Amino acid sequence: MAVSLKESQDGDLGEVSEINVTPFIDVILVLLIIFMVAAPLSTVDVAVDLPVSNAQPQPRPDKPVFLTVKQDLSLALGNDTVPREQLQATLDRQTSNDREQRVFLRADGAVAYRELMEVMNRLRQAGYLKIALVGLEDTGQGAAQAAGKP
């Protein structure tokens, strides 16, 4: 609290019109320290080496439906080539119009992500919402080969 040390004429202490900034500076310093500590914690630029999935393979159905995107971007349902325009009709025949059946989607490594997403959008538009992406099982040999490459 601010006090005026001047003696007044009538013996009373008068009001002080000056602002005491000491508490204000204390609050600002505390906030500055909090932000200095919190700022490095809010960064998202952390390099993370994500592990390879080692999930247990799910049991395959009796008659799985495999849709393959080949390197030349053509589609194959099972072993038969299917034009993109006839994908829904061919899938309906293969699954007997059971749109709850899971479609196993696999693609060549050279297929662009955009093309794979286009095929997935076609499946979704056809009403097939259960899509499983097929990959090779991780045996640990891929990591050893990648480590050996310069």
Side-chain angles (χ1 to χ4, degrees), residues 34-44 46:
I34 289 172
F35 284 122
M36 287 173 56
V37 170
L41 299 177
S42 66
T43 60
V44 198
V46 178

Side-chain angles (χ1 to χ4, degrees), residues 1-58:
M1 204 176 240
V3 177
S4 177
L5 299 178
K6 293 189 269 175
E7 299 230 3
S8 65
Q9 310 304 9
D10 57 0
D12 275 342
L13 292 176
E15 290 183 311
V16 178
S17 62
E18 296 144 4
I19 297 175
N20 188 0
V21 294
T22 306
F24 179 71
I25 291 173
D26 291 342
V27 169
I28 295 299
L29 287 175
V30 168
L31 287 175
L32 178 65
I33 292 170
I34 289 172
F35 284 122
M36 287 173 56
V37 170
L41 299 177
S42 66
T43 60
V44 198
D45 301 331
V46 178
V48 177
D49 187 15
L50 296 176
V52 177
S53 174
N54 55 5
Q56 295 296 323
Q58 298 297 317

Side-chain angles (χ1 to χ4, degrees), residues 52-55 57 135-145:
V52 177
S53 174
N54 55 5
L136 296 176
E137 185 177 341
D138 181 30
T139 59
Q141 294 176 353
Q145 289 175 352

Side-chain angles (χ1 to χ4, degrees), residues 36-98:
M36 287 173 56
V37 170
L41 299 177
S42 66
T43 60
V44 198
D45 301 331
V46 178
V48 177
D49 187 15
L50 296 176
V52 177
S53 174
N54 55 5
Q56 295 296 323
Q58 298 297 317
R60 281 177 61 175
D62 294 335
K63 280 186 73 178
V65 178
F66 283 103
L67 179 63
T68 307
V69 183
K70 297 180 186 177
Q71 187 174 4
D72 62 353
L73 303 180
S74 63
L75 299 178
L77 191 58
N79 293 328
D80 304 325
T81 302
V82 176
R84 289 181 187 246
E85 299 80 28
Q86 296 177 3
L87 179 62
Q88 181 177 357
T90 309
L91 271 172
D92 287 343
R93 274 196 308 274
Q94 179 104 11
T95 62
S96 303
N97 288 329
D98 181 16

Side-chain angles (χ1 to χ4, degrees), residues 115-130:
E115 299 297 330
L116 186 64
M117 288 305 297
E118 181 184 327
V119 173
M120 290 179 73
N121 286 335
R122 284 183 178 267
L123 285 171
R124 191 173 341 129
Q125 288 171 354
Y128 292 92
L129 301 179
K130 292 185 176 182

